[in-house]
Amino acid sequence: MGAQQVAERFTELYGTAPEGVWAAPGRVNLIGEHTDYNDGFVMPFALPHQVIAAVSRRDDGLVRLHSADVEGGIAELALEALAPQSDRAWTAYPAGVLWALREAGHEVTGADIHLASTVPTGAGLSSSAALEIVIALALNDLYGLGLQRWQLARLCQRAENVYVGAPTGIMDQTASACCEQGHALFLDTRDLSQQQIPFDLAAEGLRLLVVDTQVKHAHSGGEYGKRRAGCEKGAALLGVDALRDVPYADLDAALARLGDEEEIVRLVRHVVTEDQRVERVVALLRSGETRAIGPVLTEGHASLRDDFRISCPELDLVVDTALANGALGARMTGGGFGGSAIVLAEATDVNALTKAIEEAFTTAGFTTPRTFEAVPSAGARRLN
């Protein structure tokens, strides 16, 4: 799927060529899970899988939407009628971006949009953020809004939080908008400061596999929101603005102050130790010790499984099987309750690991997982 193909389909649908074609990628989070809404650290990188959008402006207050990946014809919405949480279909994501731009005072008068995506949905790879960012970037360019990438990410987060109703943090949108090829993005979600950390696995004879368990998850579901509310309660009990403000060195004392709040203790412990794991991974990559990040990834999975309690049998099976067959490290990635795991491995071990995981799923009676290599790729951009 390329820009020309998407542009040609746009022309078939709307009777005229688009004004441009844009792309925005999905992402894998290397380390730093459920830290973004706690003002903490994250480290995602962009995937080669992307959402491509052909877009033209309209001046009549209408947005027309079509997706190559969803059955049905063109959806037509009036901008003046857009209202938060009024739409439960896929159209809520692009419509939410238009709503957020207009709410922020930007003169956007409508659009014709055709979309096509290779980002797996429900796999924890931020297909929704990629969809939002590609729309925001296209409208920013077409309407000359002059917004920076981090500003687009903020607007798209607001679209997802308020319009769609999913209480996600800022990581996914920032990753899709700002990642660079061959790098992982070390992002401080409090001030949105960014550092591009070189992450060229192929040059070191390594691979990072994404194993999509085919177990679907939804951020707008209640369990994600419960974890976020629990983290906010923990910060309030500890008298800090966010769990980011609990020093790792003071963690034991902080947990003791929480007393018998067992669930809150678990959530706080995960977030504080996860922030520290991000900083460890950054330090190891900067010193050229890429293989040494493997055990840190595995520690992260144990914390997500045992403290945050958002893993599932399929994710645990990927991690356990990969480690038993020579992987350097493995963990679930994304919001949890399904989705994908990542596996860091020597390039020479990839085929054997993939086969072992597939056989383990067959034995367990699970749906065969989809496995592919994660290559750190470019962020959102205009294609033509």
Side-chain angles (χ1 to χ4, degrees), residues 99-158:
W99 171 85
L101 285 167
R102 287 165 57 84
E103 281 285 300
H106 300 293
E107 291 291 330
V108 177
T109 56
D112 284 339
I113 300 169
H114 170 60
L115 298 150
S117 176
T118 58
V119 185
T121 59
L125 303 176
S126 297
S127 57
S128 59
L131 174 53
E132 292 156 359
I133 289 293
V134 76
I135 299 297
L137 182 62
L139 296 174
N140 186 53
D141 287 354
L142 288 175
Y143 282 97
L145 303 181
L147 296 169
Q148 300 294 312
R149 294 299 181 99
W150 68 269
Q151 293 174 303
L152 295 178
R154 278 287 192 212
L155 281 164
C156 289
Q157 183 197 15
R158 176 168 168 75

Side-chain angles (χ1 to χ4, degrees), residues 71 88 110 139 157 177 179 212 214 228 259 261 284 318 352 363:
E71 289 188 11
R88 295 300 177 191
L139 296 174
Q157 183 197 15
C179 280
D212 177 4
Q214 308 284 345
R228 182 165 185 164
E261 294 271 6
L284 288 167
V318 173
T363 300

Side-chain angles (χ1 to χ4, degrees), residues 240-316:
V240 294
D241 290 337
L243 293 182
R244 147 74 172 277
D245 297 313
V246 179
Y248 178 75
D250 298 341
L251 177 59
D252 289 344
L255 296 181
R257 287 167 54 200
L258 294 172
D260 60 359
E261 294 271 6
E262 180 187 349
E263 182 179 1
I264 305 302
V265 166
R266 289 190 287 99
L267 297 178
V268 170
R269 183 167 53 218
H270 166 72
V271 173
V272 176
T273 58
E274 187 79 347
D275 273 333
Q276 194 251 3
R277 280 187 284 272
V278 176
E279 293 183 295
R280 287 163 61 195
V281 167
V282 170
L284 288 167
L285 291 178
R286 282 179 170 155
S287 63
E289 300 175 79
T290 306
R291 285 171 173 79
I293 74 172
V296 187
L297 304 183
T298 304
E299 285 177 30
H301 183 77
S303 183
L304 290 162
R305 181 192 64 210
D306 301 336
D307 276 344
F308 230 67
R309 299 188 180 180
I310 58 169
S311 189
C312 66
E314 291 86 350
L315 288 167
D316 292 341

Side-chain angles (χ1 to χ4, degrees), residues 52-78:
I52 297 179
V55 185
S56 287
R57 290 168 290 181
R58 296 180 66 91
D59 59 8
D60 59 359
L62 294 178
V63 56
R64 295 194 294 178
L65 299 161
H66 185 271
S67 171
D69 308 298
V70 180
E71 289 188 11
I74 297 170
E76 185 172 298
L77 305 171

